[in-house]
Amino acid sequence: MCLAVPGKVVAIDDSADPLTGLVDFGGVQKQACLEYVSDVRVGEYVIVHVGFALQRLDEESALASLKLFEELGLLEEEFGDAWEQAEKEAGTA
Amino acid sequence: MKYIDEFNDPELARRLLDEIRATATRPWALMEVCGGQTHSIIRHGIDQLLPEQVELIHGPGCPVCVTPLEVIDKALEIASRPGVIFCSFGDMLRVPGTDRDLFRVKGEGGDVRVVYSPLDALELARRNPDREVVFFAIGFETTAPANAMAVHQARRLGLSNFSLLVSHVRVPPAVEAIMTAPECRVQGFLAAGHVCSVMGMAEYPELAERFRVPMVVTGFEPLDILEGIRRAVRQLERGEHRVENAYPRAVREEGNPAAVRMIEEVFEVTDRSWRGIGRIPASGWRLTDAFRAYDAEHRFDVGGIRTEEPAECRAGEVLQGLIKPTECAAFGTTCTPRTPLGATMVSSEGACAAYYLYRRMNAPAPQAGGGAQQEEVAPVA
Ligand code: SF4
């Protein structure tokens, strides 16, 4: 959960309070709270932690991080099924 | 060179390593504070690529690892109550309490749910007005803006069935505790990048000055870490102790002021116990009086729970950088990710788990029937 993952803002819901948008993390799309980066635009990259965008990031660094996270299996860890993972770890799966 | 081809830019990694090697003329000990950095370091073998003079000491920056046993037991107690939906991040499921974990509570019929964000827990509260929804609010400064927003929204929406079990911790007091410990060997810090994305860098110059240690704000990708080390070593060799930002693409001097304002509205600084380490003054946050109604400890009256940690687990020393996980007698024998004794063996950011997963070649051979199923995890080397 400590991971902060870069993603691309693909849609913004201006009517939502707090401000919310759809963020794409290398194919996985999730809603994120954009209130702390409230002037962000569609197409920009942000660093998202537990569903909250915390800072903007340039595209080049964002894509490099995402590629690395994917290679390391960290995206699966962050967005995959936690129960499945816990069962596997506990040896009960 | 072992490991280095795994870097996303092996050429740049090689250059950084050459420069560190050329700069370091004496032994230096640096602490990386963030558990994500520890994981990255062990996974990529960065500690083994560094010249002998430069030693990395792993710090306490894993929120799952430092959450006190007492709070885990409170979580287990609340999660077992009828009518409660207990929400947590997935990493907390297998953190051992005194006699079980959240995973077991769920097996015994408790309604434990994994959420990705505290706002998901808030949504559950909205949809289940007849249930009490409790969110396990752990984390460092990076997670605090999210938890602060969740409780702020709960009040705004008039949701009275939502509360937080808060166990928030702050980095700067931990740095101070580490530096004032008599056994401390740390000479410089790689400060946690994403904590600084939120809080900025204002809290660090005073610490760097007082303890005369360089503090380099560092990201947690392998190249970020090498760059952080390069800058810290360069300062040490020059006799400097400044705060430097080696992660400018995600960290601004002022952090994220909107997020800090929200934290300050909802939380106030308090003393906190860290698992295995003990009480550190001013090292945590709790809800302010205005938000006390959303504090699960009050709502469920679990204030009386007191616990003792298992004596054989040396996670406290691991978290303070006093020993390496492999120096713990239980490491890889009675304590494995499948049968963890301490949280540092559970969390993906825990030092013991990182060593177990990527350094198994150095682990003592698992005892027969010890349950160590190491073959499931592919080593990096
Ligand atoms: S190896 Fe296990 S018992 Fe030893 S310090 Fe780490 S978590 Fe505790």
Side-chain angles (χ1 to χ4, degrees), chain A:
Chain A
M1 58 142 294
C2 216
L3 205 59
V5 187
K8 184 182 191 168
V9 178
V10 291
I12 296 177
D13 179 359
D14 285 310
S15 64
D17 182 9
L19 189 67
T20 302
L22 192 63
V23 180
D24 183 297
F25 305 94
V28 186
Q29 298 199 340
K30 285 217 165 252
Q31 292 289 337
C33 175
L34 302 177
E35 191 67 36
Y36 296 132
V37 290
S38 54
D39 51 351
V40 74
R41 304 257 177 82
V42 167
E44 287 186 315
Y45 286 81
V46 286
I47 299 179
V48 177
H49 176 67
V50 298
F52 282 72
L54 295 177
Q55 281 292 356
R56 282 203 181 68
L57 195 65
D58 62 277
E59 177 167 8
E60 193 190 338
S61 333
L63 293 179
S65 306
L66 267 177
K67 188 164 152 265
L68 182 75
F69 287 172
E70 204 185 330
E71 281 165 12
L72 298 181
L74 293 177
L75 289 181
E76 171 59 25
E77 211 169 273
E78 183 79 358
F79 301 121
D81 184 329
W83 288 110
E84 241 169 55
Q85 279 174 37
E87 277 173 5
K88 207 167 119 212
E89 285 159 12
T92 54

Side-chain angles (χ1 to χ4, degrees), chain B residues 96 310-319 323-337 339-346 351-353 356:
Chain B
E312 28 167 0
C313 177
R314 301 180 67 188
E317 291 159 89
V318 171
L319 290 167
I323 64 164
K324 294 266 189 309
T326 43
E327 291 170 54
C328 169
F331 178 81
T333 56
T334 51
C335 182
T336 70
T339 56
L341 290 177
T344 42
M345 187 57 100
V346 177
C352 296
Y356 187 86

